[in-house]
Amino acid sequence: WEGLRLQVIFLCLGAALWSAAAAATYIGSGPRERGHRRHLSLHRHRERGKEGQVLHRSKRGWVWNQFFVIEEYTGPDPVLVGRLHSDVDQGDGDIKYILSGEGAGTIFVIDDKTGNIHATKTLDREEQAQYTLTAQAVARDTNKPLEPPSEFIVKVQDINDNPPEFLHGPYYARVAEMSNVGTSVIKVTATDADDPTYGNSARLVYSILQGQPYFSVEPQTGIIRTALPNMDREARQEYDVVIQAKDMGGHMGGLSGTTQVKITLTDVNDNPPKFAQGVYAMAVSEDKVPGEEVGRLKARDPDIAENGLVDYRILEGDGMNFFEITKDSETQEAVIKLKKPVDFETKRSYSLKVEASNPHVDSRFIAWGPYKDTTIVKIAVEDADEPPTFMAPSYNFEVEENAPAGTLVGRVHAKDTDMMNNPVRYMIPRYTDLEEFFTINPEDGIIKTTRPLDREAQTWHNISVSATEIGGHHQDAKVRVNIKVKDVNDNAPEFAAQSEVFVCENVNPGKLIETVSAVDKDEMAHRQHFHFSLAPEVANNHNFSLKDNRDSTASIFVIRKGFSRMTQDVYHLPIEINDNGVPPMSSTNTLIVRVCSCDSKDTILSCNVEPFILSAGLSTGALIAILACIVILLAIVVLFVALRRHKKEPLIVFEEEDIRENIITYDDEGGGEEDTEAFDIATLQNPDGANGFLARKDIKPELQYAMRPGLRPIGNSVDVDDFIKTRITDADNDPTAPPYDSIQIYGYEGRGSVAGSLSSLESVTTDSDLDYDYLQSWGPRFKKLADLYGTKDSADDNS
């Protein structure tokens, strides 16, 4: 209510000021010496000069100041803004005042007789601070301008009607924890829509309503600063601060506005890591492999982000060689892992001293250190059922080749290191010894051969031996066993290369024609070499000699001249090779020496004897040409014969092409011979054969014979019996028919037939009731059938 009373007082003062301004602007015919008045209209007055001339003097028609109107006026009557009056206005109503410009006719209206201007609406300076209008006096009856138009301004006078506003609120700010007092946090700014040039309506003062005693605000600038030292983020991280801005310089009666500021303390590294326990206990089984996790521990650091990062390391302890420590980057935990296998039977516990430290230390708080902590980790080794352990990581044995089956190779040994010390059983996995060259005693691990071994076939045998404990969990272990087959001199030497030696017919005695060497599948001892000699049967030959070079080679020389291919073109020279081993092995290898024709420079021309044999005959090229011609002629003859045979088809056709059996089946049973209405019997007749001779359709006869005399054309009769007899006669007397029967079946059975039913259901099934004597009367074509059945009957009777 106090603020409302103050507003009413200001409104009254504003009205008084407006009245004074209106009185000052009222213009009649008063004195023209006032400097602030303005004369717009001129009247003419006649004055005579010294020479009797009529002088015209300009006279101002009306004068006014700027007009003012108070904003937000809410009275019942329109506000009188001012009055316009012209010198030419005599008060008789002949002059009409016209108002135009901004708001004319809507906001501002003028009495066209008196010139009084009123504001009909409430004005808001914040919407529009001034209005520019134009006034003019015209004759009422003619609307003729009496004065030129003139502009004037109506200014809206401000009152304190707008509170301060924070346009960018609410605000969010961050400041580091442990900041010094007075550290700037953020600047807030409020705006006031009132006129800053008029009074104190827009002069703002800031104050803090909420957030003390942690923060303060500068009254004139709005800068928020810290007010307490050592504010700890870990104790409290966020603060809600309320700032007020008040106009009128902060005095009583001023309007105010508030905003919220959320201030967050950011983290600094002001806390060291700390282990929750002084001693941590862990356990690991002895069967764990390196790299497996043993346990975890964590040092707590209340700081966040990089200030809360913790690094771990092992400072000392008897388990430094068996364990290692890493960090889980997600959980910031220390992970202790197994570095080397541990053995319960060897050592049952280990101790480690672990340190946790901050990698990023703030130099401002280094005096608060140290930023690290230590703890003790005790690790107990647990016993586990382990597989047997071999005494060596691998075994290497040797055995002589060709040694008899059952020869001792070696022995492997494994034992159970657990406290139970269970016995061990050995075996050789078959996939490592597919051909089963070796066997092992399952009790003591002795390895023996199962057959003689050949070093030349396989020098090394790499097998595995498995040791499984008896009892417990039957765990097993494997070890590599490498067996080398020692060489025995069991292979004779032989020529390194099998090739022929060529010698010219005119070769000179004593010439070296070849140097031979030998190889041996067995291993050669140091300084061991092969010995060469001619076989005893050719030791005294007169053609070639051999010289042992004592370096595992031998030289072959010619000891005579005058070789002739016509006499002998190939010589076989047997050579004995001895390896001088233990036991010594030797072999006889034959060197083939071929005599060739050479020119004067000992260049070989030919090593074949055929040119001399065929010198009086044809050359090789001619013989080849003759043979080619003979082959071509034979091919032509064979092709011609094949074509002739293809044109002349055999009388007997193939089974798939046999069309003799023209079987027509009619699945219709009529009423017998007396039934002539069941179907047309003419379908059983061949129209082509009704007029006489019927040609065979299953073959193509080369000769056509005339019809036999006495055969008459058969009329169009329906007598099936006559029709069939005619066909049989034709078949029997056809000289072009092949020696087999042409069977045609006519599935017709009439009613009342003397032959009775032909159904197989009523046929006799015993051979004793059948009589085949009638086959003898069927002609020569059924003679074979009659002989077969007649013989069977005779045999049956004799038996």
Side-chain angles (χ1 to χ4, degrees), residues 275-479:
F275 284 109
Q277 302 173 211
V279 178
Y280 289 85
M282 300 179 183
V284 60
S285 178
E286 64 175 343
D287 59 353
K288 296 293 183 180
V289 298
E292 291 195 38
E293 181 178 323
V294 177
R296 296 187 174 215
L297 65 157
K298 184 176 182 180
R300 303 289 178 179
D301 191 330
D303 296 323
I304 59 175
E306 67 175 12
N307 298 319
L309 296 178
V310 180
D311 289 342
Y312 302 91
R313 63 171 183 161
I314 299 175
L315 296 181
E316 58 185 20
D318 56 0
M320 292 185 64
N321 295 330
F322 294 90
F323 301 94
E324 60 184 358
I325 191 168
T326 59
K327 183 179 72 172
D328 189 334
S329 58
E330 294 184 0
T331 62
Q332 293 296 309
E333 292 178 317
V335 182
I336 297 179
K337 296 182 178 181
L338 191 64
K339 186 177 180 181
K340 291 182 180 180
V342 293
D343 187 13
F344 175 80
E345 290 74 23
T346 304
K347 188 175 178 60
R348 302 189 178 185
S349 65
Y350 295 90
S351 178
L352 301 173
K353 185 176 183 180
V354 179
E355 178 190 76
S357 61
N358 287 137
H360 305 286
V361 179
D362 196 331
S363 59
R364 296 175 298 174
F365 310 104
I366 196 169
W368 296 12
Y371 288 88
K372 59 181 65 176
D373 192 19
T374 59
T375 188
I376 301 298
V377 179
K378 293 186 175 295
I379 303 174
V381 179
E382 297 177 343
D383 188 22
D385 188 9
E386 297 177 295
T389 301
F390 283 94
M391 297 297 99
S394 64
Y395 293 89
N396 296 312
F397 301 124
E398 292 183 350
V399 61
E400 289 188 353
E401 69 172 327
N402 300 326
T407 300
L408 176 64
V409 176
R411 180 185 180 185
V412 296
H413 181 62
K415 67 176 182 177
D416 185 10
T417 57
D418 296 326
M419 298 181 63
M420 298 296 295
N421 194 17
N422 293 319
V424 176
R425 178 177 293 275
Y426 302 93
M427 66 170 292
I428 298 176
R430 286 299 94 189
Y431 66 87
T432 65
D433 185 19
L434 296 176
E435 298 186 24
E436 300 184 7
F437 287 111
F438 305 96
T439 182
I440 189 170
N441 189 315
E443 305 296 335
D444 54 14
I446 294 177
I447 302 174
K448 295 182 179 181
T449 61
T450 59
R451 73 188 75 164
L453 304 179
D454 187 5
R455 189 200 69 86
E456 288 72 36
Q458 187 173 351
T459 305
W460 284 90
H461 294 267
N462 301 316
I463 64 174
S464 295
V465 174
S466 173
T468 305
E469 63 177 351
I470 302 174
H473 294 83
H474 301 285
Q475 299 197 59
D476 64 341
K478 293 182 176 60
V479 69

